[in-house]
Amino acid sequence: MTVVLYSQCNDPLVAAIKASGKKWLFLHVDELLDGLSIKPWPVLLDLTVPSAWKEQIVDASVVNRLFSFEGTTCMARLSEARINERWLHARLDTLLATASVLSHDTGVRGVSRSLLPLNAQWFHMRTGQSAVSTPRFSYATGFEEPDNGELDDPMQKSVWSLFDWKSERHLPSTEARRHRFFVDRPTGTPLVCFFAGEQAPAWFFPKQEAEFDDEALTISARTAQRVFLSDIGEMLLYVNADGSLVFHAFSPYLQSAIRSPEFSEYLNRWEGPRRQVFRDESRYE
Amino acid sequence: MNSLVEDVNAIDPTDVMHLLELADASPRSVDIIDKLLWFRLLSMRRRLSEALSMRETDSALGATYRIYNALSPTHQARILVSSELCESLIYLSTSYAHRLTTINKDEVENDIALIHAKLLDIVCREQAIVDIENGRHNYFLSSHKTRTFFSPLGDKRAVANATGVWSVQKMPSIGGIVSIDFDSPLAVAHEPRSGVLSQRCLPLSDDEKAAVVTKLQSALENIDATVPTYGLIVRNFVRRIIVRKSYDVSEGESGAERSRFGSEHVPRQPGSIRLLNTHLESMSVESCMETLMHESTHNYLAAWEFSNDMFVLNDPRNRVTSPWSGNQIPNSSFIHAIFVYYICHRLLRAYMENLEDDGERARKHLQERLANFMSGFLIRQDLPELILTEHEIDPTLSFVLRQMQTSMKQIHNRDIYEAVA
């Protein structure tokens, strides 16, 4: 059984899989509302999962699309009780731990390996033998001046903003002044790559086309699947004049991939997560 | 057989496991603290002696060496545990390293000379206070142009009266040993990068000072009564609490509410912590307990790191997203945070269980804090897995961090089980 657990009604993956006619099970987080209750400390949040859900998730192949609870009724209930969404993730983790295979890590952004800020994404791609390079950047501490000496064309970005590589339109006021993050403005040709399961990654050029190292692209897609614990996802890369690739961002949302005419067909060939991508735990043993 | 038993029980001050033992308030905490303090004292003496090994070529270092050696072991130790000395030695080793790479030789030589002068100033002040207390003449006093100065530890102030006669005043303290510092040069300094010392510096009235001391004393007494080991940590690893006032109630509610309170510890000053606006009534004794424990935990960890190695090398470009605040923080701050929240949780939970029935307001506040401490431990990921570093992490440290997370999850699971039952 393949189960898709989701929270956003306009999730591009959910719409695409539903349209494909796959007989997968779709569960929206608000279906849990009846079992969700606010409790006094130390429990805070109790989640009684319907037994039907439990049976469907245990030993199943699960695509976890609970990236944010924003806009859900569950979130409204949490906000009203002033309970952080981390508590809902903690409760759902108990359920998700029973799945046999899981695509996408759990937790809020920054904690989930599938929802990392740019500098952390680059760290994992750099150390994960991805065969592609990552952008140069500077990251100031507190109010200190950024050291942009090594950047050819510095542009300020939000560490959380995966788009906007010409000029940043989503810079929160908190990041504008403190912990300023600068990257080298990309000069090459943007390339969107998407991947799902073990099939070869697909790609398209949103603007002009360019020659590139396709072996490096395949290796970097496999690395991204592993380091971001995502069987399915997309990446933005830039192609340099010599054909080499620079990884810029990974996203599990697939907002760009759905623009590809090949996307539906590619998705049809995906059987859902079939092998567990283990965390790189060797560092800590 | 005996030797085997001794080996098993030996306290090795370089072993990270002892930090977990202290966090768990182990019955042998006193022995561990004693060992860590001796280790720190010896490490500081070695660093000072390394700095003074250049004394043949520098007259300030020569004088520092002579004055320091003439002091009694007690006064030498007072200097060695002062955060002023530690900070100077850190700056000195940074400048020596800088000397090898810089193209601006003059600047770094000037910096080194200033730090040498600072080392001399530190030992002169301690010596002068000893001389005043013993009614002896002191050269430093006759050349001192201001009418007041502080001991390097910050616990004593020398003052000259209108006729130039010097006397020594003891600064207020809590727990009989931790000085409360309202107005030493360190306390009134402006540090642009400090959350506390970058705030404006308003003078505290005598009543406000007395209220701060009383409140912090109550906080420490509560800590002593709740988890005695934690009281020992505060009293042995914190020597000086700098209190800054940046907001006066007469300014009304227009003042920036959120930035009124703050506290910090600075790794280059182990033994010192800084508090902001503790004088305000809205800063409760419970909040002071948490703040004191929070910053003292940083201090004992920093003291350990200073005597051994840093837990992890910091690279400002690689930061961890804190599972508590969602902010990106340095790797070392994240490791500290795990200890801090673990210890504060244990302290405040035990304290809450002994609260009187009429402590409803305090109970509500404490429950909010406990839930916040707990939340970051409940993530699916192993906490050490979040550290972003290309360097190897000590496997024992990873074990200790994971162990704290496991314990917290067990406490939470037990709570849920009991709530259902």
Side-chain angles (χ1 to χ4, degrees), chain A residues 52-115:
Chain A
W53 270 57
K54 282 187 188 165
E55 286 160 20
Q56 280 145 351
I57 285 175
V58 69
D59 294 333
S61 166
V62 175
V63 186
N64 168 39
R65 306 284 296 173
L66 302 175
F67 304 133
S68 156
F69 300 120
E70 211 56 57
T72 64
T73 314
C74 283
M75 186 67 190
R77 189 171 289 180
L78 294 183
S79 304
E80 193 188 336
R82 292 178 58 218
I83 290 178
N84 191 287
E85 64 180 309
R86 285 173 283 179
W87 289 90
L88 184 52
H89 279 292
R91 297 296 176 253
L92 285 164
D93 269 354
T94 316
L95 176 69
L96 290 172
T98 66
S100 72
V101 190
L102 188 66
S103 178
H104 304 313
D105 203 10
T106 65
V108 294
R109 74 173 194 179
V111 168
S112 162
R113 271 280 195 109
S114 309
L115 302 169

Side-chain angles (χ1 to χ4, degrees), chain A residues 41-43 86-87 91 93 105-106 110-111 117 119 123-124 126 137 139-141 144 179 279 283-284, chain B residues 193 317 319 321 323-324 328 352 367 370-371 375 378 380-381 384-385 387-390 402 412 415 419:
Chain A
W41 180 90
V43 177
R86 285 173 283 179
W87 289 90
R91 297 296 176 253
D93 269 354
D105 203 10
T106 65
V111 168
N119 62 322
F123 173 89
H124 288 296
R126 264 199 324 272
F137 69 101
Y139 201 176
T141 302
E144 76 182 16
H179 303 300
R279 286 193 176 81
R283 282 168 63 204
Y284 309 103
Chain B
R193 288 182 58 184
R317 304 186 333 147
R319 301 179 202 176
T321 304
W324 288 276
Q328 291 228 315
M352 191 176 73
Q367 288 177 350
L370 290 172
S375 66
L378 298 182
R380 174 190 174 98
Q381 296 77 3
E385 191 184 319
I387 298 169
L388 275 199
T389 177
E390 288 168 47
R402 207 178 290 129
H412 189 62
D415 282 341

Side-chain angles (χ1 to χ4, degrees), chain B residues 58 60 108-118:
Chain B
D58 184 285
V108 80
E109 291 307 326
N110 294 348
D111 280 347
I112 289 172
L114 278 170
I115 300 165
H116 287 175
K118 171 81 179 170

Side-chain angles (χ1 to χ4, degrees), chain A residues 36-57:
Chain A
L36 198 68
S37 51
I38 310 296
K39 299 276 181 184
W41 180 90
V43 177
L44 265 77
L45 187 67
D46 185 48
L47 178 64
T48 308
V49 180
S51 53
W53 270 57
K54 282 187 188 165
E55 286 160 20
Q56 280 145 351
I57 285 175

